[in-house]
Amino acid sequence: MRPLVIFGAGGLGRELLGTINASSATFKAQWPISAFVDDDARPGAICGGLPVLRRDGFAHPPRYLLAIGAPRTRRQLAGELARLGWEAPTLVHESVHVGQGAEIGEGSVILQYSSVSADAKIGRFVLVNGRCGIAHDARVGDYSVLLGGDAVSGNVAIGDDVLVGSSVVIHPGLTVGDGAIVGIGSVVIRSVPPGVTVFGNPAKQLRGAAAAASLPIAGQVSDSA
């Protein structure tokens, strides 16, 4: 079997490794992480007790879990690594409830105590951090990121490349358009157009400098997210 690595040696990568290591022996045996990958790694670098390698440090393409928090960077890296022959399995933590008819796409990672309810659809390379609830018939598009503690209500449609900050609540039946950002703790009671940033209770669109400043509000995501 190909070795299994975590791509991204920042906080999110360490969090993912810690979640796996804190799981049951059976689950850990299914996810034997052998290294981190970071394109800026220095020779001999160590993270979480494991070596940190560059992507060109493998004789054969490994399997990998993508631990990068920025949606557009996730999309870029997944494409690059696919062309190199890297394989991305789908990780669903053993504590996650997956309802009847739910679908979870290639390369997605669903972390501890989350719920993916009946007939929900999770796209490719989606990150769902801990304690998120994705209700019946909801959709989460490719490369999108839910940072943790989010409540995605029934029939919500989240597009591709969306960043949802921690502890967000989205009202049933709404749409969050491609590339949008929902700031931490927001309560979304109206659909969010593509590419905009919203924040607050109720969530309102931010513009100009306020929208740029909202990136830390949404979790300051990067390789170190």
Side-chain angles (χ1 to χ4, degrees), residues 93-188:
H93 191 263
E94 60 187 348
S95 63
V96 172
H97 166 75
V98 179
Q100 184 174 352
E103 298 178 7
I104 301 172
E106 170 200 6
S108 289
V109 174
I110 316 294
L111 292 181
Q112 65 272 26
Y113 306 117
S114 290
S115 175
V116 181
S117 196
D119 298 309
K121 302 292 187 292
I122 308 297
R124 301 173 64 250
F125 292 94
V126 172
L127 170 64
V128 178
N129 216 318
R131 300 183 186 277
C132 289
I134 300 171
H136 66 87
D137 302 295
R139 304 289 186 271
V140 181
D142 298 344
Y143 308 103
S144 290
V145 173
L146 280 62
L147 287 180
D150 298 321
V152 178
S153 301
N155 293 293
V156 165
I158 295 175
D160 296 343
D161 306 299
V162 172
L163 174 63
V164 180
S166 302
S167 302
V168 166
V169 178
I170 305 177
H171 191 271
L174 298 183
T175 297
V176 180
D178 295 347
I181 296 173
V182 182
I184 186 171
S186 295
V187 177
V188 180

Side-chain angles (χ1 to χ4, degrees), residues 9-89:
L12 180 56
R14 290 183 282 110
E15 182 179 32
L16 178 54
L17 178 65
T19 297
I20 293 171
N21 286 341
S23 302
S24 69
T26 299
F27 187 82
K28 285 193 293 184
Q30 295 171 350
W31 300 98
I33 306 299
S34 60
F36 285 94
V37 180
D38 187 325
D39 287 333
D40 296 322
R42 297 179 179 179
I46 299 293
C47 179
L50 297 175
V52 184
L53 308 174
R54 294 174 180 262
R55 73 173 79 179
D56 58 4
F58 297 88
H60 303 285
R63 299 179 298 146
Y64 75 102
L65 301 172
L66 188 55
I68 301 294
R72 291 180 182 175
T73 305
R74 294 173 66 81
R75 177 184 289 274
Q76 175 185 340
L77 288 171
E80 293 173 355
L81 297 174
R83 289 189 288 273
L84 293 173
W86 291 39
E87 177 186 343

